[in-house]
Amino acid sequence: MTAAAAANAGIAAARGAFIQLLNNDAEVTEGWIEAGLAAFEHEDVGAVAPLVLIRSDPTRVDSAGDCYAFLGWPAKRGHGEPVGRWSQRPAETVFGASGSSAFYRCDVLKRLGGFDPSFGSYYEDVDLAFRLRWAGYRCVYSPGCVILHEVSASYDHARPELQRRMSRNAERIFWSCLPTAWLAVAIVPHLAWTLAQGAARLVRGRARPFVLGKLDAMREGPQLARRRRVHQGLAREARTRPRFPLEILPSRQLLSHLRRPRLGTSSRGVNRPRA
């Protein structure tokens, strides 16, 4: 069973007003539940993002909510940075929550169909964050809700099939989830970023699964068009103009992703987008 399908099984069985997803490599801390639920007093909050720390080094951040870069790249806010930079921030609206430990409003999550099982694992939480936005909801970062997470302990990133799926899923998100105006402006930067990623992988000898993933996404053209119509339908149903926080990742963060070591080597403290 894939990660998305397993999460959906739990969501279907849930009976409470709110749901928290918690990876098997994550651990809660004292007071997490009260801090995590506080933001739901606002009816337009559909999700809450905890402050997630790296379990093996809790002085470093895994994520302080997710962002989505202008050029079409999902990233963990604050990944690898000292916890003090993020623990004292006020609660604030962010693009989305990392699926490792996110809170969701149960009725909204079920109405939107949970996670898209076709994603398998990786980027399924980004896809859901976009759908929540299209439906008129927002996500709030709650620094008082602290979770410990052993980053990537559940998956072997060196597997070519996982790399291929991640490459495909990234394109699915870009072409089916972005508002039309954003998509039109971001196409050229996105293509340039994709070429840069491909070149970096070619140098490291693992370009094949990356390219195959992009080709897989290209073959899904009609399905991606249908997904766009579904998203636009969510906005019409909500009778609201969805807001998508625009992020331009700093060049150092993008470069750190391109220059990162081979998969399977240590990445502690590296500030980089989601792989």
Side-chain angles (χ1 to χ4, degrees), residues 102-125:
F103 289 86
Y104 296 100
R105 196 178 292 274
C106 184
D107 59 338
V108 174
L109 190 56
K110 290 185 176 182
R111 178 164 58 86
L112 294 179
F115 295 96
D116 185 338
S118 69
F119 275 76
S121 57
Y122 283 92
Y123 303 114
E124 74 278 6
D125 50 351

Side-chain angles (χ1 to χ4, degrees), residues 23 25 50-55 57-66 75-81 83 86 98 100-101 147-152 270-272 274:
N23 277 13
D25 53 5
L51 171 59
V52 186
L53 307 181
I54 298 173
R55 190 174 183 177
D57 182 5
T59 67
R60 296 283 175 177
V61 172
D62 176 27
S63 73
D66 283 354
K76 296 178 177 181
R77 297 194 328 149
H79 184 72
E81 295 182 1
V83 63
W86 296 91
S98 171
S100 68
S101 50
I147 304 292
L148 304 177
H149 180 218
E150 201 62 62
V151 183
S152 299
V270 178
N271 185 3
R272 69 190 190 207
R274 299 166 63 98

Side-chain angles (χ1 to χ4, degrees), residues 11-275:
I11 292 166
R15 296 293 180 266
F18 307 102
I19 290 175
Q20 184 188 23
L21 298 178
L22 200 63
N23 277 13
N24 58 359
D25 53 5
E27 177 184 341
V28 301
T29 65
E30 184 177 358
W32 101 99
I33 192 72
E34 294 84 1
L37 296 179
F40 286 114
E41 66 179 2
H42 303 285
E43 292 297 322
D44 66 334
V45 173
V48 171
L51 171 59
V52 186
L53 307 181
I54 298 173
R55 190 174 183 177
S56 57
D57 182 5
T59 67
R60 296 283 175 177
V61 172
D62 176 27
S63 73
D66 283 354
C67 63
Y68 192 84
F70 167 75
L71 46 64
W73 187 244
K76 296 178 177 181
R77 297 194 328 149
H79 184 72
E81 295 182 1
V83 63
R85 295 183 184 177
W86 296 91
S87 61
Q88 302 304 314
R89 293 173 72 102
E92 57 188 339
T93 297
V94 296
F95 165 72
S98 171
S100 68
S101 50
F103 289 86
Y104 296 100
R105 196 178 292 274
C106 184
D107 59 338
V108 174
L109 190 56
K110 290 185 176 182
R111 178 164 58 86
L112 294 179
F115 295 96
D116 185 338
S118 69
F119 275 76
S121 57
Y122 283 92
Y123 303 114
E124 74 278 6
D125 50 351
V126 181
D127 172 71
L128 179 57
F130 266 109
R131 279 186 281 135
L132 283 165
R133 287 276 171 182
W134 277 107
Y137 293 92
R138 62 190 176 99
C139 177
V140 170
Y141 164 60
S142 176
C145 176
V146 179
I147 304 292
L148 304 177
H149 180 218
E150 201 62 62
V151 183
S152 299
S154 300
Y155 290 97
D156 177 8
H157 281 204
R159 290 167 48 211
E161 60 267 30
L162 179 57
Q163 297 175 38
R164 179 173 179 172
R165 186 194 315 151
M166 292 162 65
S167 175
R168 179 204 65 183
N169 288 353
E171 293 304 309
R172 279 182 165 183
I173 296 291
F174 181 78
W175 296 103
S176 70
C177 294
L178 270 64
T180 302
W182 182 352
L183 182 66
V185 175
I187 285 177
V188 172
H190 176 69
L191 293 177
W193 171 242
T194 301
L195 288 173
Q197 288 180 290
R201 283 162 172 76
L202 182 63
V203 169
R204 294 198 292 271
R206 52 185 179 90
R208 177 179 170 80
F210 179 80
V211 173
L212 290 175
K214 301 307 179 188
L215 294 176
D216 291 340
M218 289 176 62
R219 284 191 286 267
E220 294 183 357
Q223 296 97 309
L224 296 180
R226 284 195 293 271
R227 288 172 59 85
R228 288 191 63 81
R229 291 193 291 271
V230 169
H231 294 149
Q232 292 162 356
L234 291 174
R236 288 193 297 271
E237 182 179 327
R239 298 181 180 179
T240 184
R241 184 181 181 87
R243 296 182 178 181
F244 299 89
L246 177 63
E247 302 266 0
I248 300 178
L249 293 180
S251 57
R252 61 178 175 78
Q253 191 169 357
L254 297 174
L255 288 173
S256 71
H257 170 72
L258 297 177
R259 295 172 177 171
R260 71 187 184 184
R262 288 182 179 272
L263 295 175
T265 59
S266 173
S267 60
R268 182 178 299 177
V270 178
N271 185 3
R272 69 190 190 207
R274 299 166 63 98

